């Protein structure tokens, strides 16, 4: 078997990169072993405003410019709905926060998202003594259904191998690589937290963060916007809501925990007074990086090995733009912006294995 690319991992990063390959008529095969599930469990929200400080997320406007058509394309391809426009109502905690809200609304880029008013309307079951700040042009991607449909589609084309990629069996030559009878020009690793097992790229400083989520049914809570306070409460329809998420830097398992559940319940009940029933509890590990920028680029020694990772807490927005950027780098030699290129961490690579030289 001869392909242009081998891809390891079919989460949001793998989806975005293989979509880019397909659009450029490049052939590929993907390995996926379900060892990680960040993209499957994600809340799927995209929101260009950091709701703690009311500042704009890094590169948000440009990322969204590419992300919205990217998901629309997939909706058209599979004739399914994945994109839901959902406003965000941020519960304000004090008069000071109300003032900060108005100040931020005046800033040029934020004014496209933050409405310059305080919503004082009372909603049954929500405790909000200082009202809400409203954000628009925000929304949710149903990543679970999208991923399942995309995986089924590639599987039907025989482009997915449902098995673990075994790094020891990769053979690297100057112009090509081979793996268990598959020859390719390049390989791109999109393993999320699975990166930690990858001997070629594990030198990169990933700071993985486990997140847990509940799905609740709250018959008396009836809103069509996302409520943001200590947690988010995201409407799924029919009075079902996704509630999340925790941030745990110690636990490296993707298993839901009792500790995580109790934390979510405690925080949820600080601003939701409606009765509810928990119907689901999930967890996953976010592949975050200490400087909160993606990990993109070629291996320092082996130029036909590349990485697409570090999507952190905002994979929905970042993945489509990063896929294009990495593709242009690998195929057209467009230089990567320094802030996303893994060359920013080369010192860790050399420290770890000083015998390897750049080719
Ligand atoms: C609780 C939670 C809530 C979140 N909410 C949001 C949100 O609202 N909005 C947002 O934008 N982001 C959110 N995120 C973050 C988002 O999920 C991530 O940024 C994104 O999913 C990362 O995608 P990825 O493809 O890099 O990694 P992953 O989704 O982890 O995919 C990596 C894939 O590689 C596979 N793999 C790994 N190693 C191997 C191997 N050796 N062989 C074969 N396959 C392998 C894994 O099985 C996995 O399918 C959330 C994350 C969590 C955990």
């Amino acid at each position: 078997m001869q392909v242009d690319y081998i891809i390891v991992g079919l989460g949001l990063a793998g989806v975005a990169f293989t979509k880019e390959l397909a659009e450029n008529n490049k052939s590929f095969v993907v390995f996926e072993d379900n060892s990680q599930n960040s993209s499957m469990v994600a809340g799927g929200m995209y929101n260009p405003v950091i709701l703690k400080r009311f500042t704009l997320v890094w590169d948000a406007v440009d990322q969204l410019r590419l992300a919205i058509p990217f998901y629309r394309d997939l909706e058209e391809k599979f004739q399914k709905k994945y994109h839901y426009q959902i406003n965000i109502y941020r519960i304000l905690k004090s008069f000071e926060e109300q003032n900060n809200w108005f100040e931020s609304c005046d800033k040029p880029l934020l004014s496209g998202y933050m409405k310059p008013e305080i919503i004082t309307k009372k909603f049954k079951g929500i405790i909000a003594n200082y009202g809400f700040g409203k954000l628009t042009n925000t929304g949710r991607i149903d990543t679970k259904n999208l991923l399942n449909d995309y995986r089924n589609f590639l599987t039907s084309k025989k482009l997915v191998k449902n098995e673990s990629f075994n790094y020891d069996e990769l053979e690297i030559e100057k112009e090509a690589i081979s793996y268990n009878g598959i020859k390719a020009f390049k390989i791109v690793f999109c393993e999320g937290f699975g990166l930690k097992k990858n001997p070629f790229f594990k030198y990169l400083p990933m700071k993985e963060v486990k997140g847990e989520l509940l799905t609740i049914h709250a018959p008396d809570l009836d809103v069509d916007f996302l409520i943001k306070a200590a947690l988010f409460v995201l409407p799924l329809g029919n009075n079902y809501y996704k509630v999340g998420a925790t941030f745990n830097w110690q636990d490296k398992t993707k298993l839901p925990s009792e500790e995580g559940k109790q934390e979510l319940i405690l925080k949820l009940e600080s601003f939701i007074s409606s009765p509810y029933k928990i119907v689901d509890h999930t967890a996953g590990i976010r592949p975050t990086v200490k400087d909160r920028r993606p990990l993109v680029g070629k291996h320092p020694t082996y130029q036909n090995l590349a990485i697409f990772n570090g999507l952190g807490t905002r994979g929905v927005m970042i993945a489509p733009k990063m896929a294009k950027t990495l593709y242009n780098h690998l195929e057209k030699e467009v230089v990567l912006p320094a802030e996303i290129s893994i060359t920013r961490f080369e010192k860790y690579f050399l420290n770890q294995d000083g015998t390897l030289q750049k080719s």
Side-chain angles (χ1 to χ4, degrees):
M1 188 180 189
Q2 167 84 52
V3 286
D4 292 313
Y5 280 80
I6 294 175
I7 307 297
V8 182
L10 198 51
L12 281 173
V15 168
F17 196 73
T18 51
K19 183 171 180 290
E20 193 64 32
L21 289 178
E23 283 165 8
N24 287 285
N25 296 317
K26 297 286 178 191
S27 57
F28 60 87
V29 63
V30 189
F31 286 80
E32 172 54 56
D33 66 358
N34 290 313
S35 54
Q36 296 301 321
N37 61 353
S38 188
S39 303
M40 275 289 181
V41 302
M45 279 303 294
Y46 65 85
N47 162 30
V49 180
I50 297 172
L51 288 173
K52 240 186 217 163
R53 301 189 294 273
F54 308 141
T55 51
L56 204 67
V57 171
W58 164 74
D59 197 28
V61 176
D62 209 40
Q63 285 169 11
L64 275 180
R65 188 180 59 78
L66 293 174
I68 302 299
F70 172 93
Y71 295 109
R72 195 185 305 130
D73 270 7
L74 289 168
E75 288 188 321
E76 275 169 24
K77 184 178 180 70
F78 298 125
Q79 290 296 301
K80 290 265 190 73
K81 188 164 173 61
Y82 307 117
H83 178 199
Y84 298 86
Q85 241 180 339
I86 298 178
N87 294 330
I88 297 177
Y89 281 38
R90 160 72 150 80
I91 294 182
L92 300 170
K93 289 182 289 219
S94 59
F95 291 122
E96 195 191 344
E97 272 209 341
Q98 290 184 342
N99 288 338
N100 291 345
W101 181 269
F102 281 120
E103 264 173 35
S104 304
C105 287
D106 282 342
K107 293 180 187 154
L109 287 171
L110 292 171
S111 62
Y113 303 98
M114 297 172 72
K115 294 275 149 202
E117 59 179 312
I118 304 294
I119 312 261
T120 51
K121 185 179 166 186
K122 303 281 176 217
F123 295 92
K124 193 176 169 196
I126 307 178
I127 303 163
N129 298 330
Y130 295 89
F132 305 87
K134 179 177 172 182
L135 287 131
T136 55
N137 294 323
T138 52
R140 171 186 172 236
I141 302 298
D142 180 347
T143 53
K144 184 175 178 183
N145 277 324
L146 169 65
L147 220 58
N148 281 331
D149 290 342
Y150 195 87
R151 286 180 179 186
N152 288 340
F153 170 73
L154 290 192
T155 303
S156 74
K157 303 263 175 210
K158 300 199 178 352
L159 298 178
V160 182
K161 299 212 174 276
N162 288 304
E163 55 190 85
S164 283
F165 185 85
N166 181 351
Y167 305 94
D168 295 339
E169 289 174 27
L170 181 65
E171 290 171 38
I172 308 168
E173 293 152 34
K174 186 131 182 74
E175 298 296 333
I177 50 159
S178 51
Y179 178 81
N180 280 345
I182 305 170
K183 266 196 163 291
F185 293 114
K186 294 187 173 79
I187 182 165
V188 179
F189 294 103
C190 309
E191 309 122 308
F193 177 50
L195 167 86
K196 292 284 176 187
K197 293 190 179 149
N198 182 328
F200 304 102
F201 288 103
K202 69 178 179 192
Y203 72 89
L204 292 166
M206 180 176 278
K207 271 208 166 274
E208 58 285 348
V209 191
K210 178 173 177 173
E212 300 195 38
L213 292 158
L214 300 175
T215 304
I216 61 166
H217 183 229
D220 296 343
L221 183 65
D222 196 13
V223 296
D224 62 359
F225 51 82
L226 179 141
I227 311 156
K228 177 75 176 95
L231 300 170
F232 66 74
V233 176
L234 167 67
L236 300 173
N238 300 323
N239 307 92
Y240 284 87
Y241 298 87
K242 217 171 237 222
V243 177
T246 58
F247 284 77
N248 184 328
W249 282 265
Q250 269 74 49
D251 183 354
K252 308 294 183 203
T253 71
K254 58 174 186 176
L255 298 174
S257 71
E258 186 55 32
E259 184 196 350
K261 182 173 164 185
Q262 291 309 325
E263 181 185 333
L264 289 167
I265 290 173
L266 193 71
K267 287 186 174 163
L268 176 68
E269 293 180 1
S270 70
F271 64 99
I272 295 293
S273 57
S274 282
Y276 65 90
K277 211 170 113 189
I278 297 171
V279 295
D280 198 15
H281 180 191
T282 50
I285 304 197
R286 306 171 185 91
T288 54
V289 185
K290 65 174 187 178
D291 64 2
R292 298 189 187 165
R293 297 289 179 270
L295 295 170
V296 181
K298 295 179 200 166
H299 188 268
T301 305
Y302 307 115
Q303 298 288 287
N304 39 12
L305 272 57
I307 183 163
F308 181 10
N309 209 317
L311 298 183
T313 57
R314 297 181 193 272
V316 164
M317 270 172 56
I318 303 178
K321 178 170 176 186
M322 286 308 118
K324 209 170 263 306
T325 308
L326 177 61
Y327 180 83
N328 288 338
H329 177 60
L330 297 179
E331 291 293 329
K332 301 175 189 167
E333 295 187 11
V334 177
V335 176
L336 289 174
E339 60 186 343
I340 62 163
S341 170
I342 57 168
T343 52
R344 71 195 191 276
F345 296 123
E346 230 163 58
K347 60 175 188 238
Y348 295 115
F349 174 74
L350 295 172
N351 284 343
Q352 182 201 307
D353 188 351
T355 58
L356 291 173
Q357 295 296 311
K358 283 182 87 174
S359 57

